[in-house]
Amino acid sequence: MLTKEILFLGIVSSTIFVLLIILLSYLIIRKTSEIQSRKKIDRLKETFHPFLLEYVMEGKKTRKLIVDSPRKMIAMEELLENYGELLKDDAAENKISSLAEKHLSSFYLKGLRSRKWSSRMNALYHIELFQLNGMSEHVCYSICRKNASKEEIVEGLKILAQFSHPSLFELIQYKFTDLKDMDYRKILVYLSDENLDPIILSYHILKPELQWALLDILGQKKEFKYLPLIESIYRNYKGEVRLRAAKAIASIGYIRSYEMYLPLASSQIWQERLMAAKIFGRANETSLLPYLENLLSDHSWYVRSEAGHALSIINGGEKVLQNAIINSTDPFARDMAREWMNKGVL
């Protein structure tokens, strides 16, 4: 019995040893193949470099650039990426885009049609990197496929936004309805004012997540021309839309009439009280000092901190902070006032 057990253990050990040898051999062969492939790509880069550089820098064309294999594609791709990082002027970027359009588009089209998620994402990434406008329809088709992942959809919509694709609004409003507001922000940030205007005009029919994202983008732009629209949204909407509108107004930083924001200071929602403190700080009106003094004792640390910040920049606010340090019965208000006074000294 013992002999059989020893024999069994010997067979198992030998089998495991053989499998480990096979695995090690596979890894060695694979690593060797990768090293050889890398060397070939580097040699191709040395061959391509002078011709590519002459075209990018001087516009000199050549027929010696033939990209007919995956290795040549990788070599040219890496060179163009390097040029793009080093050369930031529009003329060079246009030439890089032209080269990529001519020599790499077919590879990226194949990548978009691949069953592998990584290949599709890699194609989308380089289409955006090289600004291959001519592939916009292929991108549109790719993200509308049933097997498209959320990452592909967001990346594809970003590309369509940069290319001012005419179907973008229909896609984000009616086709891809399950995206988050943060996803829409990633897309809308690439739109020019001209392409953003039709979406703004359709604000009342947008789904909430798209409304929130649009308000965030308008706030980031900090352009006064959007202020009347945002104020109108603030007056006529409630809930999250109203809060986002207040945030956008605070971000723009120009307060035309602070009276309509006074109710925010007594809101049951701490985020709205936070927006009140931000807006009051931007308004820089001494009549708002009592409201900010009350907010200095708010239950939320974020509201107290923003109120302290506002008091530190408003005329007369420093006296309110000093008074809070000496006379306030709220230890949190005293601590926050002391913190902002010390920041002012520093």
Side-chain angles (χ1 to χ4, degrees):
M1 187 68 179
L2 183 60
T3 303
K4 290 182 178 180
E5 291 179 353
I6 293 173
L7 180 61
F8 176 74
L9 289 174
I11 294 172
V12 170
S13 299
S14 300
T15 304
I16 292 174
F17 180 74
V18 171
L19 289 174
L20 290 174
I21 292 296
I22 293 172
L23 178 60
L24 179 61
S25 301
Y26 167 75
L27 293 175
I28 291 173
I29 294 171
R30 181 175 177 179
K31 186 64 177 178
T32 302
S33 176
E34 289 177 354
I35 292 172
Q36 293 300 320
S37 180
R38 184 69 254 178
K39 287 181 179 179
K40 291 179 180 179
I41 291 171
D42 290 339
R43 285 197 293 270
L44 286 169
K45 288 173 68 174
E46 291 176 2
T47 303
F48 286 167
H49 174 65
F51 302 115
L52 290 176
L53 192 60
E54 280 186 348
Y55 178 73
V56 172
M57 299 300 295
E58 303 173 9
K60 186 177 180 181
K61 297 182 179 180
T62 179
R63 294 183 178 181
K64 296 181 179 180
L65 288 173
I66 301 175
V67 184
D68 55 3
S69 70
R71 285 198 182 102
K72 290 181 179 179
M73 185 273 287
I74 294 173
M76 176 170 281
E77 188 178 75
E78 290 181 359
L79 283 171
L80 294 181
E81 284 187 44
N82 292 337
Y83 296 159
E85 292 174 359
L86 295 173
L87 307 172
K88 296 298 183 182
D89 61 287
D90 292 341
E93 289 178 354
N94 290 336
K95 289 175 182 175
I96 291 171
S97 179
S98 176
L99 281 169
E101 187 93 40
K102 179 179 180 181
H103 296 288
L104 303 180
S105 292
S106 59
F107 293 95
Y108 297 144
L109 179 58
K110 184 178 179 181
L112 290 177
R113 294 172 177 174
S114 173
R115 293 183 178 182
K116 294 174 62 178
W117 175 86
S118 58
S119 297
R120 298 195 300 270
M121 283 299 295
N122 183 66
L124 287 170
Y125 168 76
H126 284 96
I127 289 170
E128 179 184 14
L129 179 65
F130 296 132
Q131 291 293 289
L132 304 183
N133 202 331
M135 299 200 69
S136 60
E137 291 301 328
H138 297 296
V139 170
C140 187
Y141 175 79
S142 178
I143 63 176
C144 290
R145 294 166 65 182
K146 290 183 178 180
N147 65 336
S149 66
K150 180 181 176 181
E151 293 82 3
E152 291 174 74
I153 291 169
V154 173
E155 180 64 25
L157 291 172
K158 281 170 53 181
I159 293 170
L160 297 182
Q162 294 173 62
F163 296 166
S164 302
H165 196 278
S167 300
L168 179 67
F169 176 73
E170 291 185 10
L171 291 173
I172 60 177
Q173 173 67 4
Y174 302 111
K175 173 68 176 177
F176 302 113
T177 58
D178 58 344
L179 298 181
K180 305 292 185 182
D181 59 299
M182 61 184 298
D183 299 320
Y184 290 122
R185 282 201 301 273
K186 294 176 183 177
I187 298 162
L188 296 180
V189 72
Y190 288 102
L191 288 176
S192 63
D193 290 354
E194 180 182 354
N195 292 314
L196 200 59
D197 286 344
I199 301 178
I200 293 174
L201 293 174
S202 304
Y203 186 87
H204 64 288
I205 66 170
L206 300 179
K207 52 193 168 184
E209 292 82 3
L210 196 47
Q211 289 180 331
W212 305 341
L214 180 58
L215 284 170
D216 290 345
I217 294 300
L218 296 182
Q220 290 176 21
K221 285 180 172 291
K222 300 183 185 296
E223 296 183 17
F224 293 158
K225 66 179 181 179
Y226 296 122
L227 192 57
L229 167 68
I230 301 173
E231 289 176 338
S232 175
I233 293 171
Y234 172 82
R235 287 191 297 266
N236 294 292
Y237 285 78
K238 296 181 179 179
E240 185 68 22
V241 174
R242 182 169 177 255
L243 178 62
R244 298 289 180 115
K247 181 180 177 182
I249 291 167
S251 180
I252 292 174
Y254 182 71
I255 312 303
R256 299 199 297 181
S257 175
Y258 66 84
E259 288 85 358
M260 65 177 171
Y261 308 112
L262 293 179
L264 292 176
S266 56
S267 171
Q268 297 297 313
I269 303 171
W270 72 266
Q271 291 93 335
E272 292 192 351
R273 300 197 301 275
L274 176 65
M275 288 303 108
K278 283 181 177 290
I279 290 172
F280 294 169
R282 306 297 191 276
N284 197 13
E285 290 284 342
T286 55
S287 59
L288 295 172
L289 292 176
Y291 295 94
L292 289 169
E293 185 176 13
N294 289 334
L295 292 173
L296 199 61
S297 299
D298 197 89
H299 296 299
S300 168
W301 179 89
Y302 298 101
V303 177
R304 295 198 303 273
S305 179
E306 190 59 44
H309 178 217
L311 287 167
S312 71
I313 59 177
I314 289 182
N315 293 330
E318 185 176 337
K319 291 182 179 180
V320 176
L321 292 173
Q322 290 173 338
N323 182 65
I325 294 172
I326 299 172
N327 300 317
S328 178
T329 58
D330 182 354
F332 296 111
R334 292 198 302 270
D335 290 342
M336 189 57 69
R338 189 177 294 110
E339 179 180 337
W340 279 102
M341 285 296 292
N342 289 335
K343 286 181 179 180
V345 171
L346 292 174

